[in-house]
Amino acid sequence: MIKIAKFGGSSVASVEQFKKVKAIVEADPDRRFIVSSASGKRFSGDNKITDLLLLVNAHIEYHVDCTSLLADIEARFQEIADGLGLSWPVAEKFEEFASRIKKYSPEFVVSRGEWFTCNLLAEYLDMPFIDAADVIVFHHDGTVDMERTASRLRDAVAREGSFVLPGFYGATVDGAIKLFQRGGGDITGAIVARCLDAGLYENWTDVSGFLSADPHIVEHPRAIGRITFDEMRELSYMGASVLQEEAIFPVREANIPIQIKNTNRPSDAGTVIRETADGDVSEHLITGIAGRKDFTAIHIKKAHMSNEVGVISRALHIVERYGVSVEHIPTGVDSFGIVVNAADVRDTIYSIIADIRHEIEPDDITMVDRLALVSVVGRNMSKRSGTSGKIFGALGEANINIRMITQSSEEISIIVGVDNADFDRTISVIYERFVRDEMVLR
């Protein structure tokens, strides 16, 4: 089976981390195709190489000398090379890069974090280095040319048999370096997995997969062994982010599972993400709980609204005019709500309300701010009657006022709106009642 192993920045941050990566790769002969991010933080307060290179670009833009900053970046790579006894000429390559720094595009400059890291990693793993600029092909509009990319990757496999590939960047057909969004190394790994028809995409990071709740709120939350792509999307959207969301689409379309693993604890099972969770005998009611604070809800009431065509669409068009993304739209017979991120309407909320009042002519319009949304996610909730009622009952017993309720059309998530002040307590109450108690019963 072909496994694509992608290592995040924390996994390649230092000499000791490089050694862990090598042990992981050598433990499984199926790990022949490695994708890596740039060296990340070695300790709290340290800087990621990518952030330092972004700072280099800022220095250049504002005509500030960046000599000492470049020297710090070079020293990071030289420390790794020296600590591992590598022969790759860091000083020579970096001098060439630094001497031409003002001639390069900002995207080229930032991409060198992955380029230098992966050249060192390739020598250390005794694998060929393949430059992402030679195989990850971008259209000029910033989208990936999957057909050309697949062809070039397969040629590289036929030619080399294995490789180390930098994540985060590629190039247009005319050679201009293009970057993915931040976290794009995950996307690179997913693209490689799809193009090579891998059996598994491993994503190695500094956590042992998804947890069923935020460990800053719930003490020792249950690890999630298996999760579906839909459940992961729901939890990630509400803040439980372990994997760059865009990374799931290439592998999901090809039905390739993703496994989140911990470089620092490689024996941990991690989390497997796939289209379905068939074979999961645990059958937990709730897979995970996640949420975010600081939303604003506009509640609109208009008698006989259901008999009038286009009321909701006109209200949404007003919000759209202000460039605001709508998060949720809870509805009733004669009322509906528009929930938005408070930061997105900080300067426009009263103008939006005034326009709705003028154009929709509602009977009543109110605003609720400092609203938190908590999403309870579980593929099995729809199979067990009374789940929603039990959740609301538990919150009622804890004297938590529910300001809003909505459910996904797939019936895998129930979202409750509560005051910001009740956010942590809401998650704790639901976890203790439905997850902790379930663990005790088992």
Side-chain angles (χ1 to χ4, degrees):
M1 179 175 69
I2 293 176
K3 291 182 180 179
I4 307 304
K6 188 271 171 179
F7 292 91
S10 62
S11 300
V12 289
S14 65
V15 168
E16 289 306 312
Q17 293 303 97
F18 264 63
K19 291 179 179 178
K20 293 176 184 177
V21 169
K22 186 171 186 176
I24 289 167
V25 173
E26 291 182 343
D28 189 341
D30 291 334
R31 296 182 182 125
R32 295 184 292 120
F33 306 106
I34 311 302
V35 177
S36 177
S37 296
S39 295
K41 292 183 179 182
R42 296 162 292 182
F43 46 81
S44 178
D46 195 20
N47 293 300
K48 299 177 180 179
I49 290 292
T50 298
D51 290 337
L52 294 177
L53 289 168
L54 288 167
L55 191 56
V56 167
N57 277 334
H59 278 56
I60 294 170
E61 181 181 358
Y62 292 102
H63 308 289
V64 177
D65 181 66
C66 59
T67 303
S68 62
L69 185 56
L70 287 168
D72 289 343
I73 297 170
E74 180 185 1
R76 287 278 299 273
F77 291 125
Q78 192 64 63
E79 178 182 316
I80 292 171
D82 292 344
L84 298 173
L86 303 179
S87 61
W88 193 74
V90 173
E92 177 186 329
K93 297 292 185 181
F94 205 90
E95 181 181 2
E96 179 183 347
F97 167 61
S99 66
R100 297 167 54 87
I101 192 77
K102 294 181 180 179
K103 298 180 181 179
Y104 296 131
S105 71
E107 289 186 283
F108 181 94
V109 171
V110 174
S111 74
R112 295 307 88 180
E114 275 76 9
W115 190 83
F116 276 95
T117 300
C118 287
N119 270 287
L120 293 171
L121 186 60
E123 181 185 342
Y124 187 54
L125 297 179
D126 193 24
M127 288 184 173
F129 169 83
I130 298 292
D131 193 345
D134 295 331
V135 293
I136 306 296
V137 185
F138 279 90
H139 295 295
H140 286 282
D141 65 0
T143 59
V144 175
D145 184 334
M146 291 298 292
E147 187 175 343
R148 279 197 174 98
T149 296
S151 176
R152 294 188 183 188
L153 281 167
R154 290 177 189 132
D155 287 345
V157 171
R159 185 173 66 251
E160 304 291 355
S162 63
F163 56 68
V164 173
L165 179 78
F168 191 38
Y169 74 93
T172 59
V173 289
D174 56 7
I177 294 294
K178 294 283 289 184
L179 300 179
F180 289 102
Q181 58 188 294
R182 287 301 294 265
D186 291 344
I187 302 174
T188 304
I191 289 171
V192 173
R194 177 178 174 179
C195 290
L196 299 186
D197 194 23
L200 180 66
Y201 171 34
E202 294 181 331
N203 194 283
W204 293 84
T205 180
D206 56 1
V207 295
S208 297
F210 278 85
L211 297 174
S212 51
D214 185 343
H216 297 100
I217 299 174
V218 173
E219 187 175 0
H220 304 304
R222 185 190 68 206
I224 301 174
R226 292 173 182 264
I227 188 171
T228 65
F229 285 118
D230 285 335
E231 289 175 308
M232 194 217 76
R233 286 273 291 161
E234 292 280 347
L235 290 171
S236 294
Y237 184 74
M238 293 302 287
S241 183
V242 173
L243 181 71
Q244 165 58 249
E245 283 190 67
E246 294 300 314
I248 75 170
F249 294 110
V251 291
R252 182 175 189 175
E253 291 169 358
N255 198 28
I256 299 169
I258 304 172
Q259 187 169 24
I260 309 297
K261 295 280 284 180
N262 190 339
T263 303
N264 303 312
R265 299 172 59 116
S267 61
D268 287 0
T271 299
V272 175
I273 311 165
R274 59 194 322 151
E275 189 63 36
T276 66
D278 294 341
D280 184 359
V281 297
S282 61
E283 288 298 310
H284 294 298
L285 175 63
I286 290 174
T287 301
I289 309 161
R292 289 188 286 155
K293 294 181 180 180
D294 298 322
F295 290 91
T296 294
I298 305 169
H299 293 292
I300 300 156
K301 185 176 182 180
K302 186 176 176 68
H304 308 297
M305 184 187 77
S306 58
N307 298 326
E308 184 178 341
V309 176
V311 175
I312 295 177
S313 66
R314 296 205 307 274
L316 293 176
H317 181 66
I318 292 169
V319 176
E320 181 185 349
R321 286 205 305 257
Y322 287 87
V324 175
S325 176
V326 175
E327 301 283 342
H328 294 282
I329 313 170
T331 61
V333 176
D334 290 324
S335 65
F336 65 98
I338 298 175
V339 181
V340 297
N341 193 311
D344 294 342
V345 295
R346 182 176 291 114
D347 300 322
T348 59
I349 183 63
Y350 294 108
S351 297
I352 291 172
I353 290 174
D355 286 358
I356 291 174
R357 195 183 300 278
H358 173 70
E359 297 179 36
I360 306 298
E361 297 182 341
D363 297 327
D364 186 43
I365 182 168
T366 57
M367 180 186 74
V368 176
D369 60 2
R370 293 184 288 276
L371 183 70
L373 300 183
V374 175
S375 182
V376 185
V377 177
R379 59 188 174 272
N380 295 312
M381 290 195 301
S382 63
K383 302 174 186 177
R384 303 192 196 178
S385 60
T387 300
S388 298
K390 291 174 184 176
I391 291 173
F392 305 147
L395 295 178
E397 290 172 14
N399 294 317
I400 295 173
N401 185 27
I402 299 175
R403 310 297 300 272
M404 186 196 85
I405 302 166
T406 185
Q407 187 171 21
S408 68
S409 58
E410 297 89 356
E411 298 186 50
I412 65 166
S413 72
I414 298 169
I415 297 172
V416 295
V418 298
D419 292 329
N420 273 352
D422 289 328
F423 177 74
D424 287 8
R425 201 157 59 92
T426 298
I427 291 176
S428 295
V429 166
I430 296 172
Y431 186 89
E432 294 299 328
R433 178 66 64 87
F434 296 95
V435 181
R436 188 90 71 192
D437 284 358
E438 183 183 62
M439 291 168 66
V440 171
L441 289 173
R442 288 172 184 272

